[in-house]
Amino acid sequence: MVTPKKTAPGARTAPGAGRRAELLATAAEVFAELGYNATTVRTIADRAGLLAGSLYYHFDSKESMADEILSAFLTDLWAGYQRIEEAGLGPRETFEGLVAESFRQMERHRPAVAIYQKEARRLASQERFRYLADSQERFQKLWTRTLERGVTDGSFRGGLDIPIAYRFVRDTVWVAAVWFRPGGRKSAAQIAEQYTSMVLDGIATHPVAR
């Protein structure tokens, strides 16, 4: 089992952890907005109000910044998923928990989620970011296992096409990073509840049997 790295190799230890965290947050917003390839160290430094040389005092490259941003997100995500999986819940409750945890992490790491969605496949071709592909595979296995358990015990309907259901759930949940903003009209928990209700119970009314 591959665990995302908590710190990027090559990242320099420097005083001012708060300032370093601010720079990572700025870098995450720029990567999410402009894309990884279009973003330069100078772009991030300009957005942070620094000279590019000053940014190198904290990070040795934009790769280091992207690595830390994505690693922090995946480490938190998998810690949450693992707690849910180890809780011994039924398939439906596990499903609901995974959706809720996904939105909780989206609220905490929204720019990182956008970067992951847009850039993971491209970055995963680099050795440094190989853990992104490992995480995607692990993600698919977890959700597929949950769906299969639900079909087996009758929580989910028989005949469910598991690969299609997995892709539907994955895309339905994570595409929300495009529009979701923390502090909006609905909290992450409220949106997760709406999502699970629509996915599991549908949006159509069910006629009362006569």
Side-chain angles (χ1 to χ4, degrees), residues 24 33 40 48 57 68 81 93 106 122 143 145 147 154 156 162 179 183:
L24 277 177
E33 176 186 339
T40 64
Y57 176 72
E68 287 203 44
Y81 279 178
E93 291 75 19
M106 196 181 304
R122 184 183 304 110
W143 283 86
R145 188 163 60 246
L147 292 168
F156 307 144
I162 300 296
W179 55 263

Side-chain angles (χ1 to χ4, degrees), residues 89-95 142-160 162 200:
L89 304 172
R92 181 180 177 115
E93 291 75 19
T94 299
F95 184 100
L142 170 60
W143 283 86
T144 297
R145 188 163 60 246
T146 301
L147 292 168
E148 289 173 342
R149 283 203 301 129
V151 170
T152 298
D153 79 352
S155 298
F156 307 144
R157 64 177 175 81
L160 186 68
I162 300 296
L200 296 177

Side-chain angles (χ1 to χ4, degrees), residues 181-187 190-191:
R181 294 294 181 275
R185 185 172 63 89
K186 295 282 188 180
S187 68
Q190 289 172 320
I191 296 174

Side-chain angles (χ1 to χ4, degrees), residues 51-81:
L51 296 174
S54 299
L55 194 60
Y56 282 117
Y57 176 72
H58 298 276
F59 305 96
D60 60 11
S61 64
K62 77 172 187 177
E63 288 81 3
S64 290
M65 287 181 272
D67 192 0
E68 287 203 44
I69 292 163
L70 292 170
S71 291
F73 158 57
L74 291 175
T75 296
D76 285 352
L77 179 69
W78 283 109
Y81 279 178

Side-chain angles (χ1 to χ4, degrees), residues 5-41:
K5 304 181 299 263
K6 292 186 179 179
T7 56
R12 299 173 183 174
T13 301
R19 179 55 171 158
R20 198 171 188 278
E22 290 174 2
L23 293 175
L24 277 177
T26 298
E29 293 287 354
V30 176
F31 285 135
E33 176 186 339
L34 303 180
Y36 179 78
N37 285 342
T39 299
T40 64
V41 170

Side-chain angles (χ1 to χ4, degrees), residues 116-126 132 136 170:
Y116 184 79
Q117 285 185 301
K118 296 176 183 177
E119 312 288 355
R121 183 170 298 181
R122 184 183 304 110
L123 289 174
S125 64
Q126 303 177 32
L132 296 176
Q136 288 176 329
R170 178 197 63 191

